[in-house]
Every structure is written in structure tokens, then in C-alpha cells.
Amino acid sequence: MGGRTSVGTRLSALVRAALAGLCVGACACGARGQTALADGFESGGLSADWDTASAAVAVRSEGGGAAGSERYAALGPACNLGARFTDVASGGARDFTVELDLRFTNSANRQFNLHVSTATGAPGSGAPGVNLRCEGGAWAVYGTSWQAVSGLGSCFTGQWYRLRLSGWGWGTAAARYGVELSEPGGTAYTRASATNLTVYQSVSATQAQARFFDLTTDWGSAPGFQVDNVRAEVLAPRDAVVNISGVYPHLTVYSADGEIGIGAVMPWAGRLWFVTYPPHQPAGSADKLWTVAGDLTLSAFAGSVGCTDANRLVHRETQQLNIGHYLIDATGGVRVLPPAQVRGRLTGAARHLTAPADKIYLATMEEGLYEVDVRSLAVTELYHDMNTAVTGALRAASLPGNHGKGLYSSQGRLLYSNNGTGGVLAAWDGERWSVVETNKFTEITGPGGLYGNTPEDDR
């Protein structure tokens, strides 16, 4: 699986185009592409891609992050947290996005402040092009005075909101920007938006491209605010996307493991989702959950946990996609199954035998089997993943063969296959395993495909 490969499939026109351009390569460097910064703070510290980080910025680990994450960043008074677009686009960004989850910690003074600047030098709060604030629950941008941003509505303390600021055509006469906001606790931009804004504080965006963004508490007696899952992207103009016989070089992704592949791929929530696949990483890795948007923009999920995964299943009752160690809702919101709780190289996902509306099964290549509640993310280990020794009350499946591959549920049985030495097709009735056939089987499926069988399919 080493070296470069391209993958393709017969799906929608978007998916065909994106899949044709997915390239993978083994390299000692990480994938940057058009992503200037992606930080979910789950490492316990700040990403090295931040170019400015005041001492008063702290990563907190007590839980309570956005979408149930363990960690988030808290900005104290008089500090800055910023990154350059010029790290990936030397001349600046004509088209760009800055996305983040934010939570206010006060209701009286300035609750939030985001600057986007065309200035050179290190990110800071001086001379912003766009100066966006929330104060007293109301949103405004600064020109020669503060001007209310109609349509965004009020925000409240103690709630996570997802915000996206997008810029288009910066450095041209058509320069403009827009702001979108989610409902409290949401990830989709369904609450409110303001588009085609042209209010600038210092240098107009018609004169220069965006060079950095800065989260700041320098102004308005701001006591601080909290952020999570920050992502900044430089979007390639349509005429700048290179297409070589259906292969798009800017969609290349990399790994430092010396080998890389695409473990699983699926169109979902208006994007193409895929995970990269390293050689043997059952406990987590630097590999990412990636998305390709309709404009062929490649993005990495900031909270990625890696692992060698190839599973995918759509849970129809909750409209969630399970791919790798992730559950993705219908709006594109991502929740993570920590590898410490779901250890192993996930190879298959299947509908639950007795509680299909709430739970799924996940199987590993080394015969691990987990029951996962897709609503609460509670995990129960049913059979131990054999990358570590079985101890105490843990139990092993002890099936013939090795190198697990397929998983599917049908007719009141959970079916599992492997294609290693000897090979096996085995069935589990919820209590014990039985061997159906000893042979090499790579995959198992049924009428329900990636959604799993319905009761009607099993008649």
C-alpha cells in the first residue's frame, strides 16, 4: 500500500471528481495544503501552527469542550491568539475562512473579538481590516464607528456556538466577507448569517489580501472567552485548481509512518469524508479525518485521533455516519470515540442485534468487538482486541485465522470474517461464536449495504 495511489468510485459527480483526485503519499512532513491552522487542543497544548500566543492563553483539560470534547483554549485578559494565512499562501489569502467554536464567560463587557488583517508581521490586534466583536450579546463590526451586524441575533454566556467568518475576493474591487453562526450547542450554520459585508477599519480589503487573523482580548475591557476546534483555510480560486486527467494534486495527503492509504471514504452531509490508513496503529496516530467540499477544498478535522481504521456505517435512526473512530451527524458535526476506550484497528461496523435504534457494533482486525451507544458514546467491550494481552474478566473470541476484515448483522446473527492464515466466516448470536466456514473472506454485506439490513431485508 506504500507510495502514491489514487482512488475512484461511481457516485455523484462531486464524489467522482473528488475521489479521482485523492492522492496519498508517504513523507516525513505533515499535510498542510490549503489549511493554515487546525487545532482542537486535544493534544493538551497549542498547535505549533499558531504564530502568536500570549501567556494568558491556557488549554484547559477538565472536560466541557465543544461537542463534548475534553479540552479547549481559554483566553484571559489582554492577550492574543493568532495565525498567518501567509504560512500556506505567501502573498496572502484572496478567499479564506476562519471557523471556531466559542463560549462567552461574561455578559457585560466585550465577550468576543476577532480581527482579520492585511498587515505584515506577526498576528496582533493592531490595524485590523475586519474587526468583529460581540458585546452585551450583540454583534457589530467597526468602520469609523461600530455598526450592528443585523441577522446574527443575540448570544448568551455558558453556551458553545460555532462561528465562521469567510472572505472573498480580497485584494480586488469585489472584496467582501460574511459571518455565520450556529444555534447554541450546534455545529451547522442554521441560526443566522450576514453576507456581502464591506465594513473595514484600517486598510480596505480591496487594497490587499488577508495575511492573518487574531483572537484578541486587548479591547473593550474584555475579561476573556473560550474557543475550541479552530480552523483557518485559504481557499483556492476556481481557476487555480489544477486538474491533471482527473487527479487534483492539492488533494494530496501525507503520513510520517512510511506507508499510507485511504482507509474508508463516504459522501455525507454535503462533503466527502475519508480517513487515512497507516500500517499498524491500534492506539491512535497522527492520521486525520479529512473532508473534501464541493469546491474541492481539503480540510482536516482538528480533533482527529488517527488509528488504522477502515469501518463505515450509516446509523439511519440518528442519521449519523460512523467512519473510523468518529460519529458525524447530518450537519457535519463530529464526535470522537477515544482510542483508549475503543482500542484496535477498526475494520467493520454493523447494526446492533437487540438495540439497533441506539447502538452499533465495532470490530477490530485483531478480533476485538465493542458495543457503542451512538447517542451517549458509552462503550462496552464484548471481546478483547488482541493487540494487548487478555487479563482478568476480559475475554477473547479465539477464532480461526487472523487479519479481520468484514462485519455485518443479519438474521439475528453478527457475522465477522478474516482473510489471514486459514481464514474464517464466523457468526455470533449475542452469547457465543460459531464457525460458518474456514476460508479467506475479505468483506460481508447484505441488501442494506452501508446502512445495514432493515427487518424487511431479513425476511
Side-chain angles (χ1 to χ4, degrees):
M1 192 184 294
R4 287 184 177 268
T5 64
S6 296
V7 296
T9 189
R10 293 178 60 82
L11 296 170
S12 66
L14 160 64
V15 176
R16 289 200 305 272
L19 280 172
L22 290 179
C23 299
V24 292
C27 181
C29 60
R32 293 296 298 271
Q34 298 293 335
T35 302
L37 177 131
D39 196 358
F41 310 106
E42 293 304 306
S43 67
L46 296 173
S47 166
D49 289 335
W50 291 104
D51 296 299
T52 294
S54 300
V57 178
V59 175
R60 295 183 177 172
S61 305
E62 67 268 23
S69 68
E70 182 68 21
R71 298 178 175 89
Y72 58 90
L75 282 74
C79 68
N80 295 274
L81 184 62
R84 296 185 182 94
F85 295 116
T86 52
D87 288 344
V88 294
S90 59
R94 192 182 87 169
D95 303 324
F96 63 89
T97 61
V98 177
E99 295 186 79
L100 56 112
D101 294 300
L102 65 95
R103 182 164 62 185
F104 305 144
T105 57
N106 83 100
S107 57
N109 298 318
R110 188 165 301 183
Q111 298 165 291
F112 175 75
N113 212 170
L114 170 62
H115 291 177
V116 179
S117 180
T118 60
T120 58
S125 63
V130 171
N131 184 351
L132 172 69
R133 79 172 188 190
C134 188
E135 190 165 301
W139 293 89
V141 291
Y142 195 86
T144 56
S145 62
W146 286 108
Q147 301 181 35
V149 180
S150 60
L152 289 185
S154 297
C155 292
F156 306 97
T157 59
Q159 297 277 355
W160 284 107
Y161 295 85
R162 186 74 178 166
L163 177 140
R164 177 166 63 194
L165 188 149
S166 304
W168 306 281
W170 281 44
T172 74
R176 63 203 188 281
Y177 62 97
V179 183
E180 301 166 275
L181 197 64
S182 76
E183 297 288 350
T187 55
Y189 302 107
T190 55
R191 183 173 189 263
S193 64
T195 59
N196 295 320
L197 300 174
T198 56
V199 178
Y200 304 105
Q201 177 170 334
S202 298
V203 178
S204 169
T206 61
Q207 301 176 37
Q209 296 187 342
R211 290 188 170 87
F212 66 77
F213 75 95
D214 183 54
L215 299 163
T216 180
T217 56
D218 279 343
W219 308 97
S221 301
F225 53 87
Q226 298 163 354
V227 296
D228 203 351
N229 300 318
V230 183
R231 182 173 69 213
E233 298 174 356
V234 177
L235 307 179
R238 291 295 299 177
D239 57 4
V241 174
V242 177
N243 177 355
I244 305 172
S245 300
V247 174
Y248 296 83
H250 78 282
L251 297 182
T252 301
V253 292
Y254 298 91
S255 171
D257 279 305
E259 180 182 345
I260 185 174
I262 302 298
V265 62
M266 185 72 181
W268 183 254
R271 295 187 179 191
L272 185 72
W273 301 78
F274 68 97
V275 289
T276 50
Y277 185 100
H280 191 103
Q281 298 288 351
S285 69
D287 289 79
K288 306 294 185 185
L289 170 67
W290 295 90
T291 63
V292 179
D295 62 357
L296 297 183
T297 299
L298 178 68
S299 304
F301 172 56
S304 295
V305 295
C307 293
T308 304
D309 294 337
N311 56 300
R312 54 183 179 164
L313 175 76
V314 176
H315 187 254
R316 60 170 61 88
E317 287 85 352
T318 60
Q319 283 297 288
Q320 294 184 87
L321 167 66
N322 167 237
I323 184 170
H325 278 72
Y326 312 96
L327 285 163
I328 306 164
D329 66 25
T331 66
V334 181
R335 295 187 296 164
V336 179
L337 297 169
Q341 296 180 30
V342 185
R343 183 183 175 89
R345 302 190 292 168
L346 298 182
T347 188
R351 288 180 63 78
H352 198 273
L353 295 179
T354 59
D358 302 306
K359 300 177 181 180
I360 62 173
Y361 296 117
L362 294 177
T364 76
M365 294 179 69
E366 281 74 36
E367 298 184 357
L369 183 64
Y370 300 94
E371 176 186 84
V372 177
D373 189 313
V374 297
R375 300 180 190 272
S376 68
L377 299 191
V379 176
T380 301
E381 180 181 295
L382 301 174
Y383 290 91
H384 191 62
D385 176 79
M386 299 307 293
N387 278 291
T388 58
V390 177
T391 59
L394 302 176
R395 59 178 179 171
S398 300
L399 297 172
N402 53 49
H403 206 250
K405 285 297 180 181
L407 189 73
Y408 207 84
S409 57
S410 179
Q411 305 290 338
R413 298 290 188 271
L414 181 68
L415 300 170
Y416 175 83
S417 70
N418 65 50
N419 68 348
T421 304
V424 74
L425 176 64
W428 185 65
D429 63 5
E431 295 183 3
R432 62 183 61 84
W433 286 102
S434 60
V435 173
V436 178
E437 184 177 343
T438 53
N439 210 331
K440 299 178 189 294
F441 294 90
T442 300
E443 184 59 288
I444 310 168
T445 190
L450 294 176
Y451 285 76
N453 283 4
T454 64
E456 291 75 18
D457 293 326
D458 281 341
R459 289 176 181 172

